[in-house]
Amino acid sequence: MGGCVSGKSGHHERLDTVEASVTQIKGKTGDKDLDVAQHCASELKSVMNLIVSAGAKDKPSLHRIEVLSELVLGNLEARIDGALFGRSDVDTVLEAIVSIARDLDAVRATRATIILDEKVNKCREQMVAGEEAKARGQLGQLKQVMDGIKEPAVVMPGATLALDIISQVHAKVPGSTKITDILLKATIDLAKKILVFQIAWARDPARATAVKGLAARVDEVAGKLVLVMGAAWDPPMLPQVERLVREAARRCCTEALTGAEREIANKKCGKAFELLVALKPHWPELKDDSSIVLQVVGAFSKLQTLACQDFIAVSKAGQATVAGQIREFATKFDALRVEFEGLPPAAGGPLKDCLVLGEATATVEKQLTFLVAEIANPTSDAKLLQLSLSGIVQAFEALVPIWDLVAGQEEALMVRFSEICISVEAWVDGLAAASSTADVGSLLTFAEEYDGRRTKLSPPEPASGKLQPRIALQAADKHTTLVEAELAKADGLNPIKLLDAFKAAAAALPRESSGDALRARLTSAMATTTERMLKSFREAITAGQVRKEEALLRFARDFDEAFAAAGLGLRAGGELGASLAERMARAKDGDAEAKLQALEVALVANDLPAALVALQGLQPSWPRIAEMAALKERAVVALGSLPALFEKAGEAAASPEKVDSLLEIAGDLDAALAPLEGAFAVPPLKPQVLWIAARIHLDALDAALENVYTAETAVVKRELSALAKLVKDASGDETEILERLANMGEPLARHLLHRALADAGGLEEVLGIAALVDGATGGSMRQQAEQLRPLVERVVESRTELAKPSGMDPRVVIRSLKALAPLWASACSSEEFQRSLSEPFRRALSEIFRQLSAKLTEACGKALDSGVEVPKKTQALLALADEAQHAQDALKEVAADLEVVDFPSSVARSVADKALGAVEAELGKESGLDPAKVLKGVELAAPMWAASTKADDSLEARLQAIFERLRSRMGQSMLDAKESDNQKKQTMLLEFAAKFDTACAPMTAIGSDLKIFLEGKLSGTTKE
């Protein structure tokens, strides 16, 4: 008992100490006295363990532990606030608080760690929400900045500011996906804007560097944003910017190098140097581009050569001042070249080195070493070989400006140079032997370039003379072999390929005796070519293939000129023969007689088309025929017979088609005869048949317009076109044609107006025809047609709407009809309209009235068949009919003799007819009559009755028959009801009769007394 009391007392003391400590930490924030709180939690946990191990019987102490743990937990919760999350060591403090909470979990039923986790999460959410709210303001600022980036000048400052804002906002709310998504989209938009305005920075290296930095920053910022969104930033911006900068640098380089090459060609070192200086800022972007490097090396090489040549020239002339200026230029030149990082060393060393003799010798040594290396490493790659040849030429070119200084200075150097030249020539000779005809040309060009430089590098003299003749001999042999191969083809010979091969062989053939064997082969090939081309030429003459003749003659002239220009002393027919062109000319002369004979035969046979072909074939031969007396006499006789023959043919023409064909032949013959003069001259033939053609076309037009409403517009247009052309060709003597056209004016106008009113395309077609007539007659038909356009368009609008197979809107037609009345009244001010042009309008309007009436009637039938809202639909159609009637009446007032219809009566009659038909069908049933359907039919017909009977007087008789049949059926039914004492049926019959009589009331001409009749049957007073 005593030990137990002592234990409790010990618990109380420890709990008292805890309670005092809890009082000490009350109101403390952050990490202040957290160690005290930790001690309190540990003590509570320890005491709790002792009490539990003793059987948990100390209820007062357990209660105190519960209270004290709640106080400690409350203190910990109070520490978790916005101020704590604003500290840099927030995670450390939170970890300490959670550690204390774990001890509290051991003495509590509800876990302290869970409560604190919830508090931490809530605080974090509040912090994020607050930070997002603060970020909203900066997002507005970001939008303003982005919207302001509209000009190239503001790209850099605007983009920098935008990135600053994006970084700041993200730093405030790094975990907000909502804000991050907005920032990421802004970053994407910013990247696009920077790329769009590339014109502001791509060509400026300084700005381009700044933009690269900006792009790298965009990639960095975007990389952080996409991590939050779980996405990827692809493609990154920096590589895109680098590509654009490289492309712009390449364009600037091309412009600078092109200008430098031009200035070097004009021997202007200073300007060429300035262009290379302008290229320097772009070099960092281009130094890894092998093609650009080669071009830059070439430009520096050429400029250095030019400067060396100028220096040697002024030095020899004793112009010390100018020489000094060139030395200063060399210093700047060499400094500039060094700044082009990555360029291979200059072939001749720095420019300054080339200005002195010793350095010139070194240059020679370097070039000779290069030459030995080039020919020691042969290549089969065409591009590499071309580079090698170019390099060799450049090496020899590098020697030219300094050779006068080094030649004869060192005997060993000269011997070595001569040996290397022999090796180079042997190497090229071997390449030529193995090359194709396509490749040998480049070797021949190399040989010419080589010889041009080798002749300047003397002494020593070339050991074997010039290289070009030796390579030319091989080139000529290859091209001659190609000529022989082409000529060996049985068919499919390619003249262009053959001629090119001949030209190439002739151009390459050496003038020396070394080319005699080739000259003999070419002579043989020329003879073969001459015979084949002459054979083709004769065949072309026989077939009348004028274009082929001309092509072969061109080939012959080029063929002859190729050898004349080459100075070979060869002729296409051999050493003593005529040229190919001359022999073709003689063959052409022999053909002239055959074609003249063909003309004579055609004229005897009255075959004008054949005569035309013969005349056209004779065109190139007339000068030759004029020189040959016998042929000239025959030609004069043949040509003199043409007028009489043509007059006879004109009289025989009986149709527009035949006379047009004759006119066409006459025009072609006149064209063929026009160049002939003197004894060969023939009067124009076309005027002889012009008036015959006019008469036939006028008759055809008159026949076509016999009925203006059935005439084919295409035929009318065709005849008018022909007559317009004839008027033009009549050349001032067209009065007769115009008079007859004037006599057809009224029927023509009526037909054209009828066509214009037919459909939507009619008016434009008619305006075109009217313009054609005006052009021929000088009249104003098109103007008159234009004046009627408003009328025509309204009529066509109505017709177009009525022609629709479905969806026709009668309101469109009625609206057009309403618009026509004032237009018609205005048109009637024209006497011509009243006299001849109003008739087509009347016909068209009458047709429109009939079609509109039919459409409204058709619509009535559909409304009745639908069975849905029938009264409403029929009343609407009747309203449209009334509106159409008013429009028609307005037109009738201004257009006399207009055929009209009664729209309301037509619609009413349609409704009444359909309604009575339904009643008649119902009454026709032997049994099962439905009184409601009968009543419905009468009710539908009644409002239409007055108007419908005006259109169809048979309706009265039909209604009377319905009355009689209904009285009979209903009377019998009433008798049956009376006999069976069926009072309900009696009542129903009387109610129906009353409704029927009411419905029939508007039909005043007949009326109905069915109810009285049935009452009489019921009372027995009615007997029938």
Side-chain angles (χ1 to χ4, degrees):
M1 291 284 293
C4 188
V5 171
S6 176
K8 288 183 180 180
S9 176
H11 296 334
H12 289 310
E13 290 174 0
R14 292 178 69 179
L15 292 177
D16 288 342
T17 302
V18 171
E19 187 172 354
S21 297
V22 169
T23 303
Q24 178 184 340
I25 64 174
K26 184 177 182 181
K28 298 296 176 67
T29 60
D31 59 348
K32 291 180 181 179
D33 292 337
L34 264 183
D35 56 335
V36 177
Q38 178 68 64
H39 176 71
C40 291
S42 298
E43 277 295 288
L44 291 175
K45 179 179 178 182
S46 175
V47 173
M48 184 70 166
N49 289 336
L50 291 173
I51 294 172
V52 171
S53 63
K57 297 178 180 179
D58 189 353
K59 301 301 181 182
S61 295
L62 289 176
H63 177 69
R64 285 191 70 188
I65 291 173
E66 180 182 356
V67 172
L68 290 172
S69 72
E70 196 68 36
L71 292 173
V72 175
L73 177 59
N75 177 260
L76 296 178
E77 279 191 277
R79 294 172 186 266
I80 301 173
D81 56 12
L84 176 61
F85 278 93
R87 293 174 53 159
S88 60
D89 60 345
V90 58
D91 292 334
T92 303
V93 177
L94 283 176
E95 178 58 33
I97 291 173
V98 170
S99 176
I100 298 170
R102 292 193 192 98
D103 285 342
L104 290 179
D105 284 347
V107 302
R108 291 177 53 81
T110 56
R111 299 183 63 184
T113 51
I114 294 176
I115 294 171
L116 292 182
D117 281 345
E118 291 175 353
K119 181 65 181 291
V120 169
N121 290 336
K122 184 176 181 181
C123 281
R124 288 189 189 277
E125 290 173 359
Q126 291 172 347
M127 289 290 292
V128 169
E131 289 167 350
E132 287 183 354
K134 292 177 184 177
R136 295 289 176 185
Q138 283 187 291
L139 290 177
Q141 182 186 359
L142 175 62
K143 184 177 185 305
Q144 291 180 351
V145 172
M146 293 294 292
D147 291 344
I149 303 177
K150 296 180 179 178
E151 299 294 336
V154 300
V155 171
M156 288 299 297
T160 302
L161 180 56
L163 284 173
D164 289 343
I165 296 172
I166 291 171
S167 298
Q168 293 166 8
V169 173
H170 183 59
K172 290 179 179 179
V173 282
S176 172
T177 56
K178 184 188 303 182
I179 299 299
T180 302
D181 182 58
I182 296 172
L183 297 179
L184 184 57
K185 289 177 179 176
T187 305
I188 294 170
D189 189 29
L190 180 61
K192 291 179 180 177
K193 286 178 180 286
I194 294 171
L195 294 176
V196 165
F197 290 118
Q198 60 178 282
I199 190 173
W201 50 263
R203 293 175 68 96
D204 186 328
R207 291 183 178 178
T209 300
V211 171
K212 285 182 185 178
L214 195 62
R217 189 178 174 198
V218 169
D219 289 342
E220 178 187 0
V221 170
K224 295 177 180 178
L225 297 177
V226 295
L227 283 177
V228 177
M229 301 303 295
W233 179 246
D234 187 35
M237 185 180 179
L238 182 56
Q240 298 180 63
V241 170
E242 291 173 339
R243 176 179 57 78
L244 292 172
V245 172
R246 282 195 298 273
E247 291 174 354
R250 191 175 288 108
R251 288 193 293 273
C252 292
C253 176
T254 301
E255 294 167 5
L257 289 175
T258 301
E261 292 281 358
R262 182 175 60 253
E263 298 302 335
I264 291 170
N266 294 331
K267 299 186 181 300
K268 296 180 179 179
C269 291
K271 291 186 177 180
F273 180 78
E274 290 172 1
L275 288 166
L276 291 177
V277 170
L279 176 59
K280 179 179 168 293
H282 299 287
W283 185 246
E285 295 294 337
L286 303 171
K287 63 182 180 179
D288 295 325
D289 190 326
S290 58
S291 64
I292 295 294
V293 171
L294 286 174
Q295 295 177 56
V296 173
V297 168
F300 272 110
S301 174
K302 291 178 182 177
L303 184 55
Q304 182 162 328
T305 298
L306 180 59
C308 286
Q309 290 173 338
D310 288 348
F311 180 78
I312 293 171
V314 299
S315 296
K316 287 184 177 181
Q319 297 175 355
T321 302
V322 179
Q325 291 173 349
I326 294 177
R327 287 191 183 94
E328 292 176 2
F329 172 80
T331 301
K332 294 188 291 184
F333 176 89
D334 291 339
L336 176 64
R337 198 181 191 286
V338 169
E339 290 176 359
F340 278 78
E341 181 186 353
L343 284 187
L351 177 56
K352 287 176 64 178
D353 295 348
C354 294
L355 303 183
V356 296
L357 177 60
E359 292 168 352
T361 302
T363 300
V364 172
E365 289 285 1
K366 289 181 180 179
Q367 297 306 320
L368 294 182
T369 301
F370 169 78
L371 291 171
V372 171
E374 281 299 307
I375 62 177
N377 296 294
T379 177
S380 58
D381 185 277
K383 290 185 178 179
L384 293 177
L385 177 60
Q386 193 62 40
L387 287 174
S388 183
L389 293 173
S390 300
I392 292 173
V393 171
Q394 182 178 329
F396 277 102
E397 176 67 28
L399 298 177
V400 170
I402 60 173
W403 196 254
D404 288 345
L405 297 176
V406 299
Q409 297 295 321
E410 295 186 22
E411 183 177 352
L413 188 62
M414 296 299 102
V415 170
R416 185 178 176 218
F417 172 73
S418 182
E419 291 173 349
I420 289 173
C421 288
I422 292 171
S423 298
V424 169
E425 292 172 13
W427 178 62
V428 175
D429 201 16
L431 289 174
S435 66
S436 65
T437 53
D439 296 333
V440 76
S442 63
L443 293 171
L444 187 58
T445 301
F446 170 82
E448 294 170 353
E449 295 290 329
Y450 170 83
D451 287 342
R453 289 158 178 78
R454 181 64 182 88
T455 55
K456 297 176 184 178
L457 301 175
S458 177
E461 297 296 330
S464 303
K466 291 186 175 182
L467 176 62
Q468 191 275 344
R470 285 174 273 157
I471 304 302
L473 190 64
Q474 295 194 59
D477 176 69
K478 292 179 183 294
H479 289 299
T480 302
T481 300
L482 181 60
V483 168
E484 293 167 341
E486 193 66 28
L487 289 173
K489 294 179 180 178
D491 52 24
L493 182 143
N494 187 332
I496 297 175
K497 185 176 180 180
L498 179 65
L499 183 59
D500 288 343
F502 264 122
K503 288 180 179 179
L509 189 64
R511 305 298 188 267
E512 297 83 1
S513 59
S514 59
D516 288 346
L518 280 173
R519 190 173 288 104
R521 287 170 61 191
L522 273 178
T523 301
S524 174
M526 290 169 66
T528 301
T529 301
T530 298
E531 294 306 317
R532 288 190 68 166
M533 292 299 154
L534 279 173
K535 180 175 180 294
S536 295
F537 187 73
R538 293 189 185 99
E539 291 172 351
I541 291 173
T542 302
Q545 297 172 324
V546 178
R547 294 180 63 183
K548 186 175 180 180
E549 290 178 38
E550 294 172 350
L552 289 168
L553 279 170
R554 285 195 299 272
F555 173 87
R557 287 191 289 270
D558 291 342
F559 187 71
D560 294 337
E561 289 172 4
F563 297 97
L568 299 179
L570 296 174
R571 304 190 74 188
E575 290 288 343
L576 302 177
S579 69
L580 178 56
E582 291 170 345
R583 294 181 67 180
M584 284 185 176
R586 283 204 291 268
K588 185 73 174 174
D589 290 344
D591 181 62
E593 181 177 5
K595 289 187 175 176
L596 178 59
Q597 184 176 0
L599 174 63
E600 293 169 334
V601 171
L603 293 174
V604 169
N606 294 333
D607 189 346
L608 291 175
L612 174 60
V613 172
L615 273 172
Q616 291 172 334
L618 278 167
Q619 291 303 309
S621 304
W622 288 116
R624 187 66 179 152
I625 292 174
E627 296 171 359
M628 304 166 71
L631 288 182
K632 179 179 179 181
E633 183 178 353
R634 288 169 58 188
V636 169
V637 171
L639 293 171
S641 67
L642 271 171
L645 178 62
F646 219 83
E647 183 177 0
K648 182 178 178 182
E651 293 173 353
S655 68
E657 292 77 12
K658 289 183 179 180
V659 80
D660 286 344
S661 176
L662 190 60
L663 274 172
E664 184 178 357
I665 293 175
D668 292 339
L669 284 170
D670 286 344
L673 295 168
L676 302 184
E677 299 176 345
F680 293 150
V682 177
L685 302 173
K686 194 170 183 178
Q688 292 183 232
V689 291
L690 188 66
W691 300 110
I692 297 173
R695 175 180 53 77
I696 291 174
H697 280 294
L698 285 166
D699 290 345
L701 179 60
D702 200 8
L705 292 173
E706 185 174 352
N707 187 328
V708 296
Y709 298 110
T710 60
E712 295 184 26
T713 304
V715 174
V716 173
K717 183 178 181 180
R718 183 189 68 205
E719 298 306 322
L720 285 172
S721 298
L723 288 167
K725 190 172 186 302
L726 291 171
V727 168
K728 182 178 179 182
D729 293 342
S731 304
D733 194 17
E734 66 276 9
T735 306
E736 181 180 343
I737 301 175
L738 295 179
E739 286 179 353
R740 284 200 61 187
L741 275 175
N743 292 336
M744 293 183 231
E746 286 194 10
L748 176 60
R750 284 197 298 274
H751 169 71
L752 293 180
L753 185 54
H754 173 69
R755 172 67 189 95
L757 295 170
D759 54 51
L763 180 58
E764 295 308 318
E765 181 181 6
V766 166
L767 288 173
I769 297 173
L772 181 68
V773 174
D774 291 346
T777 63
S780 58
M781 180 176 283
R782 181 183 173 91
Q783 181 182 356
Q784 294 172 354
E786 281 286 4
Q787 291 172 349
L788 293 174
R789 178 186 285 274
L791 264 174
V792 172
E793 289 177 342
R794 297 287 78 75
V795 172
V796 170
E797 183 179 35
S798 297
R799 282 188 154 179
T800 302
E801 192 65 28
L802 288 167
K804 290 181 179 178
S806 62
M808 189 278 296
D809 189 347
R811 292 171 296 182
V812 174
V813 180
I814 294 169
R815 185 169 60 246
S816 296
L817 293 176
K818 288 180 178 179
L820 278 170
L823 294 174
W824 187 288
S826 175
C828 283
S829 61
S830 166
E831 181 180 344
E832 183 178 2
F833 179 82
Q834 294 188 45
R835 183 180 68 251
S836 60
L837 299 182
S838 60
E839 181 184 343
F841 278 108
R842 286 189 176 89
R843 292 171 63 96
L845 286 173
S846 296
E847 179 62 23
I848 289 171
F849 295 156
R850 288 192 293 273
Q851 289 181 354
L852 179 58
S853 177
K855 289 285 187 179
L856 291 174
T857 300
E858 180 185 349
C860 285
K862 291 180 179 179
L864 291 167
D865 290 340
S866 71
V868 179
E869 296 184 335
V870 173
K872 180 180 178 180
K873 291 179 180 179
T874 54
Q875 287 300 319
L877 287 168
L878 189 59
L880 286 173
D882 289 336
E883 193 174 353
Q885 189 68 32
H886 291 319
Q888 179 183 254
D889 293 343
L891 277 168
K892 180 70 174 174
E893 290 180 8
V894 296
D897 302 327
L898 190 63
E899 292 184 16
V900 297
V901 299
D902 189 334
F903 289 103
S905 295
S906 298
V907 171
R909 186 236 172 243
S910 175
V911 175
D913 175 69
K914 196 82 172 179
L916 291 185
V919 173
E920 290 167 339
E922 194 63 30
L923 290 173
K925 295 179 180 179
E926 291 296 330
S927 61
L929 182 144
D930 187 346
K933 291 184 178 180
V934 174
L935 184 60
K936 181 179 179 182
V938 174
E939 288 175 340
L940 190 60
M944 308 288 176
W945 194 253
S948 64
T949 51
K950 288 170 60 179
D952 187 353
D953 54 9
S954 68
L955 294 174
E956 295 279 5
R958 289 174 62 189
L959 184 61
Q960 183 62 47
I962 288 171
F963 284 172
E964 294 300 326
R965 185 70 183 272
L966 190 61
R967 285 162 65 94
S968 174
R969 296 282 294 268
M970 291 295 173
Q972 184 60 48
S973 292
M974 181 59 81
L975 290 176
D976 292 343
K978 178 182 179 181
E979 183 176 347
S980 62
D981 196 22
N982 189 340
Q983 294 184 7
K984 182 177 180 181
K985 183 177 182 180
Q986 295 170 16
T987 302
M988 288 175 61
L989 288 171
L990 290 173
E991 287 176 352
F992 166 78
K995 291 178 181 178
F996 183 82
D997 291 344
T998 301
C1000 292
M1003 303 176 188
T1004 54
I1006 299 176
S1008 174
D1009 58 351
L1010 182 60
K1011 183 178 180 184
I1012 296 173
F1013 174 78
L1014 292 180
E1015 286 173 341
K1017 284 288 186 180
L1018 185 58
S1019 63
T1021 58
T1022 300
K1023 301 300 183 180
E1024 73 269 16

